[in-house]
Amino acid sequence: MTKTVTTRINDDGLRYRSKTVGSPFASKANTRSCFKCGKHRTPDQLQSKKLLGKTEMVCKPSCKELAEVLGE
C-alpha cells in the first residue's frame, strides 16, 4: 500500500513553511561525527583509528558500548 501525499500551495505561492532559524548543532559546537555510527560526539568520546588506509575518528571504546553508557 502506498501512502497518499497531499500538499497545498499557500497564498504567497510557497508550498512549505519556512525552516526554523539556526543549526541543529548550535549547542554542540565542539563535536565531530563518528566514522562508523555517524553520531556526533565530543572529542573526549572519540579516538582515532586507521580505517581503509586513513585515520578516522570513531567512538571510544566502541559505538555500542558508548550508546549504552549514554542511554541512546
Side-chain angles (χ1 to χ4, degrees), residues 59 62-69:
C59 291
S62 72
C63 300
K64 184 178 178 180
E65 290 177 27
L66 189 57
E68 289 174 359
V69 169

Side-chain angles (χ1 to χ4, degrees), residues 32-41 46 57-59 63:
R32 293 190 62 189
S33 61
C34 172
F35 183 77
K36 288 183 178 181
C37 69
K39 295 196 185 264
H40 280 256
R41 307 284 190 201
L46 295 170
M57 299 301 283
V58 296
C59 291
C63 300

Side-chain angles (χ1 to χ4, degrees), residues 4 7 9 12 15-16 19 22 24 26 29 31-32 39 43 45 55 58 62 64-65 67:
T4 305
T7 59
I9 298 175
D12 59 2
R15 188 177 303 234
Y16 305 102
K19 295 185 341 185
T31 62
R32 293 190 62 189
K39 295 196 185 264
Q45 296 172 330
T55 303
V58 296
S62 72
K64 184 178 178 180
E65 290 177 27

Side-chain angles (χ1 to χ4, degrees), residues 44-60:
D44 64 324
Q45 296 172 330
L46 295 170
Q47 65 183 354
S48 59
K49 278 196 175 177
K50 193 154 189 150
L51 298 169
L52 303 173
K54 291 179 71 178
T55 303
E56 302 289 350
M57 299 301 283
V58 296
C59 291
K60 168 175 69 174

